């Protein structure tokens, strides 16, 4: 059985479990105030070239999203997101659970544009409607697409001009930064958004997300917010260990590249087989459209997600590669697909 | 430096890191629907002798408390807790953050009694006041004390009679069950409360808490609640691995016993030295009262928490042993204390 | 200056102020437990032919909507509404403020259909998404349209089958019931939805909305919910007086009819002038499309709301008649419109 | 039957119903943007000598309290109140419903002191506990007591020094300002607290409370908050009419004085009869302690509230006078009390 189900199906890169094993009975301070978190934060600050950034480690994406958003908004303020945005669809109303409406723009590729944001601002004009205040984007998006530096620059310029907070969900930031068409680097992000997180869960960490708040006024008392939402881990040093390892010798990007290379091979193979892709995704999530009769056979040897029906006879599936995906798995999958 | 700071300062029992290392690149299903969670849940159901229990794994105590409480209460319903209760003092208003008031009873030993509950019920009589609906207790308590079977039975009888939900926070359940004066067993709990959790973080797990909902009508749709609060871990199999290991060959109780034995030695040593204890705690948290001048010296070699001033010249500190505490550490501490 | 701005611009029907003046210094019990509320509730129960209905009086629509919805949903449950629904657009995120997502269906006439509801149910399949649980409709809708008995029957049948709660916002229920195409009566409502309110504010009351909960299990402890949301008026007897008056001698429907008759005259006049209507509304809200240059002139003598631009040269406005609108006002408006 | 039940049992001062009757069919702008609200706000700004104050009209006390508190706090921030405070006891968890903990200090007379506030600040030291941020006081208090200028000055000085917001609940502000021992005036309040409200419901208004925000940075976007909580009345002009009338020719204080005078007579009469008072209240709420056997007889002719048992044979009751209480009613009550 080969899994293309997700990029968080495997445990973690062996260097992390090795380091865990070596900790022995060393006693760490609790709640992220330990030497590993400190070291990891220092390495991240260097990698993003932002010495004043406030860095926090949390255990999951939904938890990070809801804690951040609830922290910076007043009760009547709302979020702007693409209709496909993770917070809008796949977080069981977690943002609304903290009291905030998510306003959405239809987007075929999962990305927001300044025009979409402007349209939502224009239709929210007075105190009888929510006040849009935070723009949520993800890179890569739910559909595997990425933002160019020009696109992100334009969005952020609009945000600054209209006093909106720009928050980038980086659950798959590694995948985005390693895409062939990408021209953003980690060090661009603190200048092109206000808050973002570097996803560990989906890029080889045992667990954890590293949150970066680059505008100091948005970071105030953030640890209170974390605790208030149940998002402050007692053994925070575990999160520190993960990111300290990922940000040593460039491991973070190397793992993302490994996933990206297998995705590139898979994409090329799908194209060679004439299998259409629903979205032109340059990252580790691919969305081939297959004849319905192919699915049961494929299911026997491969794990993957059904994305949705395309027409009566075709279905879009999602194939995800991870840092742990082998060339052999891709070869087997492509061979299996040859027969349809 | 020896740490008596807390019972979650060390990584975890080596059998857990070993097993992690052996997972390799096996792909697991996400969100707790994997074979390790399944196996762990089965073992827990056996240990608690409750085949119909609903078991869920979460990453931390505050997260578990807020998710459970918000799940079973209507907006106007309130919690009853001891004034010292963790949810009342040390969770940064997480319960109120989900909309619910915490009503408190003063309690010198951290425990609730039926009388305290009855008094709060008697003073909340109509719709101008919140409606008490859930009783929150912890075993062991914040002050290290434990409930006897008779005490818990009396509380639960009252709860059933008055239609209150009884929720037991078991962050330190292992410590309670291994106390010399304890007469409760794991298998008593599903019959003596409605919901409880078996704490892993403070008893040798890498991370995780195992939530047990023994009344089916309270378990409905609980996975929605978890996701809604950001409390559903993508790599849920990690939590499963922890509890599967802890509930193999009785490791869970063995670790708690180890901590308890060192605490017993430390308690005896303190008594031999004539050092008074603020609370008569039979578990792994001890609260000696020391002369203020002793603290700076002690701080040099030992980590611990200041509990609070007792009088002008004395301070209560908290000493916590864990599964990883060595006899040597206890010996050194007692030797150091001899000089005051 | 003639106002077509809204149906809550004028004080109230004189019979209400008269009765207020006659109260003198009579002392009433507080919080709605008085003889006037009791009498009003009895009259409403008769008018809706539902002796077991639970009746509550609140001061405004948004307050009623948020109190009801938060009362009957669990945290992860969501509302289904038309995209134009009042709770989705014009309540400043009040529903989300209580923690609940509002899922929307595009609807050109402001009405929901079983198909729209089914589509939303079909796309919300597991615990990673909110669980749709309450269907929100309004009659008349935000666009002045009304539900037929057949339409409402079909929606409610679906709701019962799929365990959804059907809530009908009756801010303009009077207007709906007096529409020429309407075939619903007050006494149909308790059998065709679970909860609804009879709007007073927009139909001649000084203030107040009368909430009807026809399914007893949804009414439990509702007074706690009201107080919890700041929605229980100390001088509840004022609300009782309003509805007791409105439900004496059929005043409620007579006032709605008066507004409807002036709207009908206005609609006919607009059609005679060849002025197109954006929506085919049979009630007291009309949406004519006017050339932009007409607006400044019209503004001089008439108050109304700009609904939105239609094309570069045309704008849709909203004209609302109330129980207090005079034939003279309608005549003047039609005369003024002749010149464009 | 004479009522000493409450100060909001009667309709309102006749000048208000008269003015209502004279409104006829005048059309007002909605949501408080009308000429009556404008006029009332101007009069209040003059009366409090604070031209820059932001004034808003709401329909009730709990609604005002929850809207204000939720507006100015971040999610993890808490309120400090006396244990007897209305928000702590009699608002069904409305403040917690918006996510905020209420920290309380025991207080025998219902008043807070700087010492009590300092003690709560001292015990809330880090991000594992809520952060106290708003101090809630009421004048007069739940026990009828009042703050002196010196007391309020001391509290506010502490608040400014420790960056706390001081909010004064003035549901019975008129009663406080007319107490014989009072040395505060309306114009002192904007300089001695940040936000307060002038209660109408309990002082002769038909309905309404006038909220005053004297620090501009706390007033920003407050109308969004009102709408978000269902606290913006469509017919806001009704609230404007009430306060415009109350602040014409000093009616507001005259009504409070009338209530105070009857309370003074009643207090003197109780003392003359040797009936002990539980609290030394100088305002319109009196708390006599009566033998239990007196209550059934008294109940026949007088309405009042049972405050609570004092000992086995005595009960404290609450007697409240209002602007509408007659000397005759007081005489009858005193006569009736003579026999016990």
């Amino acid at each position: 059985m080969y899994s293309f189900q997700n990029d968080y199906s495997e445990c973690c890169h062996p260097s992390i479990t090795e380091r865990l094993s070596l900790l022995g009975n060393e006693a760490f301070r609790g709640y992220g105030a330990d030497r590993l978190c400190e070291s990891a934060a220092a390495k991240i600050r260097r990698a993003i070239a932002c010495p004043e950034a406030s860095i926090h480690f949390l255990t999951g994406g939904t938890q990070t999203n809801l804690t951040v958003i609830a922290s910076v908004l007043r009760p009547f303020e709302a979020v702007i997101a693409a209709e496909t945005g993770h917070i809008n669809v796949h977080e069981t109303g977690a943002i609304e659970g903290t009291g905030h409406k998510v306003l959405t723009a239809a987007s075929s590729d999962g990305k927001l544009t300044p025009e979409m944001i402007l349209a939502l601002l224009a239709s929210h004009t007075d105190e009888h409607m929510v006040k849009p205040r935070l723009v949520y984007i993800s890179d890569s998006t739910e559909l595997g697409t990425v933002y160019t530096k020009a696109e992100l620059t334009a969005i952020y310029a609009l945000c600054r001009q209209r006093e909106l907070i720009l928050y980038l969900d980086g659950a798959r930031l590694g995948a985005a930064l390693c895409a062939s068409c990408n021209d953003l680097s980690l060090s661009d992000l603190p200048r092109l958004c206000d808050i973002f997180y570097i996803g560990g869960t989906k890029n080889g960490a045992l667990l954890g997300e590293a949150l970066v708040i680059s505008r100091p006024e948005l970071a105030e008392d953030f640890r209170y917010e974390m605790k208030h939402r149940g998002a402050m881990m007692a053994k925070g040093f575990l999160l520190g260990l993960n990111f300290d390892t990922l940000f040593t010798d460039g491991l973070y990007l190397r793992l993302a590249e490994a996933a990206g290379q297998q995705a590139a091979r898979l994409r090329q193979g799908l194209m060679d087989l004439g299998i259409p892709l629903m979205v032109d995704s340059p990252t580790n999530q691919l969305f081939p459209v297959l004849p319905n009769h192919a699915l049961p056979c494929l299911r026997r040897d491969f794990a993957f997600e059904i994305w949705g029906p395309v027409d009566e006879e075709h279905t879009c599936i999602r194939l995800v590669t991870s840092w742990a995906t082998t060339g052999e798995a891709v070869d087997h999958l492509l061979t299996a697909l040859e027969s349809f």
Side-chain angles (χ1 to χ4, degrees), chain A:
Chain A
M1 191 73 170
Y2 298 101
S3 176
F4 292 87
Q5 181 85 35
N6 227 315
D7 32 17
Y8 47 83
S9 303
E10 297 93 1
C11 181
C12 65
H13 191 262
S15 61
I16 291 170
T17 39
E18 264 165 49
R19 242 180 119 177
L20 274 179
S21 304
L22 295 173
L23 286 185
N25 285 354
E26 181 179 347
F28 290 91
R29 297 187 57 190
Y31 306 108
D34 59 89
R35 67 171 180 83
L36 290 174
C37 285
E38 205 176 306
S39 169
K43 287 178 182 170
I44 289 174
R45 282 194 197 94
R46 265 198 301 280
I48 63 173
C50 184
E52 71 277 18
S54 177
I55 314 274
H56 301 277
F57 301 104
L58 296 94
T59 59
T62 298
Q63 185 187 81
T64 305
N65 290 338
L66 78 85
T67 306
V68 164
I69 290 172
S71 171
V72 297
L73 297 189
R74 289 181 61 194
F76 58 85
E77 293 179 332
V79 178
I80 289 177
E83 209 168 51
T84 49
H86 202 261
I87 55 167
N88 188 48
V89 182
H90 283 107
E91 301 193 351
T92 315
I95 305 308
E96 290 85 357
T98 66
H100 302 284
K101 194 177 188 70
V102 178
L103 300 168
T104 59
S107 162
S108 59
D109 63 358
K111 291 159 68 178
L112 279 183
T113 63
E115 290 66 38
M116 293 172 190
I117 299 168
L118 280 167
L120 282 165
L121 291 178
S123 63
H124 288 82
T125 53
D126 64 33
E127 69 263 28
H128 298 278
M129 287 168 269
V130 291
K131 192 172 190 173
R133 173 80 170 122
L134 180 142
V135 172
Y136 168 93
I137 58 176
S138 45
D139 194 26
S140 64
T141 69
E142 289 296 296
L143 298 178
T145 53
V146 302
Y147 285 89
T148 65
K149 193 187 286 197
E151 287 168 344
L152 189 56
T153 302
I155 290 175
Y156 194 48
L158 173 62
C159 287
R160 297 312 305 253
Q161 183 197 335
R162 299 295 292 266
E163 296 189 12
L164 302 171
I165 295 164
L166 181 56
Y167 170 51
L168 186 150
D169 177 334
R172 291 193 174 99
L173 184 58
L177 297 180
C178 293
S180 56
C181 59
N182 171 68
D183 60 353
L184 284 166
S185 68
L186 271 175
S187 60
D188 290 327
L189 292 179
R191 295 176 303 102
L192 294 180
C193 63
D194 298 311
I195 311 177
F196 65 100
Y197 80 83
I198 302 170
T201 298
K202 294 176 177 170
N203 194 33
L206 186 72
L207 82 165
E209 325 294 331
L211 181 71
V212 179
I213 309 179
S214 43
R215 273 171 59 195
E217 69 270 29
L218 298 175
E220 203 182 345
D221 284 335
F222 189 75
R223 283 174 62 81
Y224 280 88
E225 294 283 3
M226 287 173 67
K227 183 78 184 189
H228 180 70
R229 301 291 172 189
M232 187 181 279
M233 201 182 181
K235 295 188 176 180
F237 60 87
L238 295 178
L239 302 169
L241 181 144
N242 274 270
F243 279 93
D244 193 61
T245 308
L246 290 173
F247 279 84
T248 297
D249 299 336
L251 182 61
Y252 187 77
L253 290 180
R254 277 190 287 133
L255 292 178
E257 252 159 52
Q261 277 162 10
Q262 295 305 333
R265 287 188 58 230
L266 184 51
R267 188 184 310 107
Q268 187 59 48
L270 292 165
M271 287 166 66
D272 292 348
L273 292 169
I275 295 173
L277 297 166
M278 191 194 66
V279 196
D280 183 19
S281 157
T283 60
N284 69 325
Q285 298 182 86
L286 300 173
F287 298 88
V289 177
L290 297 178
N292 295 345
H293 67 83
L295 303 189
C297 321
L298 218 52
R299 277 258 183 257
R300 267 180 245 137
D301 296 317
F302 303 94
F304 54 87
E305 220 176 271
I306 301 290
W307 201 249
V310 171
D311 58 35
E312 294 235 329
E313 312 204 335
H314 294 83
T315 295
C316 178
I317 69 168
R318 187 182 70 160
L319 301 172
V320 189
T321 61
S322 84
W323 61 275
T325 303
T326 59
E328 185 209 348
V330 172
D331 292 340
H332 271 83
L333 177 54
L334 288 172
T335 305
L337 286 168
E338 268 175 39
S339 42
F340 306 117

